[in-house]
Amino acid sequence: MALLSDRVREAFKTWDTEGDGTITKTGLIRLLRKIAPQVAESDLELLFEAAGATDAPPGSVKYLEFITYLWSDDEAARARGLWEEAIRKAREKSCRTWPPDKVACYWDEVEKRLKSEQYIDHVRTKMFVQVDQDQDGRVSFEEAKALICKSLSCAADLTKAPGPTRDEVRLAFDAHDTLVEGRGRMGVEEFVNLARYLQVIVAEAMQGFSKVLTA
């Protein structure tokens, strides 16, 4: 699957009529404000300057510099999601309590299931559709927060820990909120990684009930 930055770069190239690596600033501002209407034009001007994209002919923006600036390490981390790192940390922590071979068996099975086409298809065709209440093909924080809160609360109950705070619920969403659909809106692929992360949190909380680990 092509990276979002690559897809955006190819789209920008189609607007680069002169083939000089620039596009019109007014056109880009119009596009960005359609995606995020709450962002002021003055803020976008500052963003172009911060990205070093304004060193171009008057009225133009260097789109390669702009894309590189937007798709920083933070954006790449959001695209990956938290689930794989959460599994790695859970494996390390679990080895302090249970035999490493049993821990490996438990988490290998969890990871295998979360990577399976069956699970991914279930999230895409069932979970996403249910959470996307307005059926616009995107999931907002308000739509996703009930699922996130339910999953984190379940994990907390299993481990007799305090329930999740609103900040923790928000953080789980924001950590998977990429620029694909614009900030505050999550597409299907981002939602799959969010669902995977929540499953890892619950799977970690359920370890004490697993015969794989406790038998």
Side-chain angles (χ1 to χ4, degrees):
M1 181 184 297
L3 294 174
L4 173 61
S5 56
D6 293 335
R7 299 202 302 269
V8 172
R9 186 179 295 108
E10 290 303 312
F12 278 16
K13 280 183 179 179
T14 65
W15 303 332
D16 180 9
T17 55
E18 300 298 323
D20 61 356
T22 66
I23 57 178
T24 64
K25 184 184 293 185
T26 54
L28 181 55
I29 288 175
R30 191 181 305 117
L31 172 65
L32 293 174
R33 295 208 66 198
K34 282 184 179 179
I35 296 172
Q38 72 278 11
V39 179
E41 183 172 333
S42 58
D43 291 332
L44 292 175
E45 292 282 1
L46 292 174
L47 186 60
F48 297 150
E49 290 182 16
T54 55
D55 183 19
S60 299
V61 174
K62 289 184 176 181
Y63 61 85
L64 290 178
E65 282 83 349
F66 185 62
I67 293 170
T68 300
Y69 178 81
L70 287 182
W71 272 268
S72 60
D73 290 342
D74 176 67
E75 185 64 18
R78 289 171 185 252
R80 288 193 303 272
L82 299 175
W83 74 280
E84 290 179 306
E85 179 65 10
I87 284 183
R88 186 190 67 77
K89 290 182 177 179
R91 286 179 186 268
E92 291 181 356
K93 184 178 178 181
S94 300
C95 285
R96 301 171 197 157
T97 305
W98 293 286
D101 59 329
K102 291 187 176 183
V103 170
C105 185
Y106 180 85
W107 284 107
D108 284 352
E109 184 59 32
V110 171
E111 189 166 1
K112 179 181 178 182
R113 180 166 60 85
L114 296 181
K115 287 181 175 179
S116 71
E117 287 301 321
Q118 182 179 4
Y119 176 79
I120 294 170
D121 183 66
H122 172 73
V123 174
R124 287 172 174 166
T125 61
K126 298 292 194 301
M127 292 178 63
F128 185 83
V129 172
Q130 290 176 351
V131 174
D132 180 19
Q133 296 171 9
D134 60 8
Q135 300 297 295
D136 67 347
R138 302 179 298 176
V139 166
S140 67
F141 172 69
E142 289 302 314
E143 291 173 320
K145 70 178 182 181
L147 172 66
I148 299 171
C149 190
K150 181 179 179 181
S151 299
L152 297 183
S153 295
C154 176
D157 289 344
L158 288 168
T159 58
K160 295 181 171 53
T165 65
R166 179 177 174 83
D167 286 346
E168 289 170 335
V169 173
R170 182 77 214 199
L171 180 61
F173 180 89
D174 289 346
H176 300 84
D177 179 20
T178 73
L179 291 166
V180 174
E181 299 293 344
R183 287 286 188 253
R185 291 290 187 273
M186 195 175 286
V188 175
E189 299 310 316
E190 297 96 322
F191 185 79
V192 168
N193 280 338
L194 171 62
R196 284 166 161 165
Y197 171 66
L198 297 175
Q199 284 290 299
V200 172
I201 297 301
V202 173
E204 184 175 13
M206 292 183 66
Q207 289 178 111
F209 304 93
S210 170
K211 292 182 179 179
V212 173
L213 292 170
T214 60

